[in-house]
Amino acid sequence: MKKGELLYQGKAKSVYRSDTPGVLIVVFRDDITAFNGEKKDVLEGKGVYNARVSAFFFNYLEKNGIQTHYLGMEDDRTMAVRELKMIPLEVIARNIAAGSIVKKFPFTEGQPLSPPVIVTDYKNDAAGDPSINDDLIIALGFLTPDELAFVREQTLRINLLLSEFFAELGIDLVDFKIEFGRTDNGIYLGDEISMDSMRLWDQETGESLDKDVYRFGKGDVMSAYARVVERITDEMRGGNA
Ligand SMILES: Nc1ncnc2c1ncn2[C@@H]1O[C@H](COP(=O)(O)OP(=O)(O)OP(=O)(O)O)[C@@H](O)[C@H]1O
Ligand SMILES: [Mg+2]
């Protein structure tokens, strides 16, 4: 598939048109940023890790009945996806309190959240991705009430599928962020599911295996990401824990 016009260059991915209508090409770059772009670096190979993990989870979710934008890999950092009209929301599912929720509300870091908590932010860097509620989402025409219920239900299901998978690897899925978009056929899961978009804690050591390692300078980011990729790869081979 040929890469066409660059449609969008985000902070970590570049999105291109392809030679097939309705199909886009997403390149996972090696750029890593935190704090809304205030901290940024290039980590060689990071894009490949995130592309691999995203592809794996899109496949896994598709097998479990979730419609995703994933179509296939073009090379080890390049993904073909269904073109979506993105819904400008970051849907966040939380199983354990960590990060911004602890700063904003009287939770303690590491406090289990059961049932899981789903929150949504309006995806707008200039406004600092402010939190948004259901009434605002409907008033702004981002989702109809039925679609909002669907997105919530899909998010809970994705959370369950991912949490169960990570538990098998000895990893807690603390929280994650996903984005949805639409085609004429309905709402699809888009964007990525990677170490940039999830919080993962090693159940044994409590170590972070995600972008927090970078955010807070907690060690070697690439080796943390590599450990997630290795464990997923082992599990794919049938598990050799
Ligand atoms: N299937 C899709 N069709 C169209 N656009 C998509 C699709 N999947 C993801 N996108 C969009 O492509 C962009 C991916 O780039 P990236 O994630 O690097 O940038 P960003 O989201 O603007 O920045 P950041 O995630 O760092 O806040 C995002 O705007 C995302 O919403
Ligand atoms: Mg993004």
Side-chain angles (χ1 to χ4, degrees):
M1 195 169 292
K2 271 233 308 273
K3 221 159 68 183
E5 179 200 352
L6 174 68
L7 292 179
Y8 184 78
Q9 169 122 342
K11 293 198 282 287
K13 303 191 288 306
S14 301
V15 182
Y16 298 85
R17 209 160 268 305
S18 77
D19 50 10
T20 307
V23 177
L24 300 180
I25 289 177
V26 178
V27 178
F28 287 71
R29 305 196 317 274
D30 287 338
D31 301 275
I32 186 163
T33 71
F35 310 115
N36 203 2
E38 265 172 58
K39 181 173 177 174
K40 54 180 142 192
D41 285 282
V42 177
L43 299 174
E44 203 187 322
K46 175 245 176 195
V48 172
Y49 283 161
N50 277 353
R52 195 177 296 166
V53 169
S54 285
F56 173 77
F57 283 121
F58 284 136
N59 254 315
Y60 170 70
L61 293 175
E62 284 278 352
K63 280 192 197 126
N64 285 282
I66 307 284
Q67 286 201 322
T68 82
H69 69 161
Y70 181 70
L71 295 172
M73 294 306 286
E74 295 289 302
D75 66 40
D76 60 4
R77 63 168 75 236
T78 308
M79 192 180 279
V81 303
R82 226 178 280 271
E83 179 170 10
L84 302 179
K85 212 172 162 331
M86 295 307 289
I87 297 153
L89 296 174
E90 300 201 332
V91 183
I92 302 150
R94 298 176 177 277
N95 298 302
I96 297 175
S100 62
I101 199 179
V102 176
K103 290 211 197 87
K104 290 183 205 160
F105 304 107
F107 292 114
T108 51
E109 180 94 2
Q111 182 179 334
L113 303 170
S114 182
V117 171
I118 295 180
V119 297
T120 36
D121 290 346
Y122 169 44
K123 196 170 152 66
N124 183 315
D125 278 345
D129 296 338
S131 59
I132 186 168
N133 73 5
D134 291 359
D135 283 358
L136 284 165
I137 291 169
I138 292 163
L140 287 160
F142 293 161
L143 294 169
T144 65
D146 282 352
E147 288 174 338
L148 187 60
F150 176 77
V151 162
R152 184 180 166 82
E153 179 205 301
Q154 290 286 101
T155 303
L156 285 171
R157 180 148 169 68
I158 292 165
N159 182 42
L160 215 61
L161 289 164
L162 296 181
S163 298
E164 280 170 5
F165 181 85
F166 276 115
E168 294 278 317
L169 307 188
I171 293 172
D172 277 329
L173 176 62
V174 175
D175 55 43
F176 63 94
K177 184 270 301 180
I178 46 182
E179 295 177 25
F180 293 88
R182 61 175 99 237
T183 70
D184 294 341
N185 292 322
I187 293 183
Y188 286 72
L189 176 65
D191 206 46
E192 67 178 302
I193 301 176
S194 73
M195 288 73 78
D196 281 9
S197 63
M198 297 183 277
R199 242 188 211 103
L200 303 169
W201 290 354
D202 186 302
Q203 285 177 349
E204 218 153 89
T205 65
E207 280 169 286
S208 291
L209 301 172
D210 57 63
K211 200 158 92 171
D212 274 352
V213 177
Y214 174 73
R215 283 193 191 96
F216 305 113
K218 291 205 272 188
D220 181 29
V221 191
M222 284 299 282
S223 68
Y225 281 31
R227 278 159 67 194
V228 178
V229 174
E230 277 159 25
R231 286 199 218 177
I232 290 174
T233 311
D234 286 350
E235 179 72 14
M236 280 160 70
R237 290 203 192 99
N240 66 354

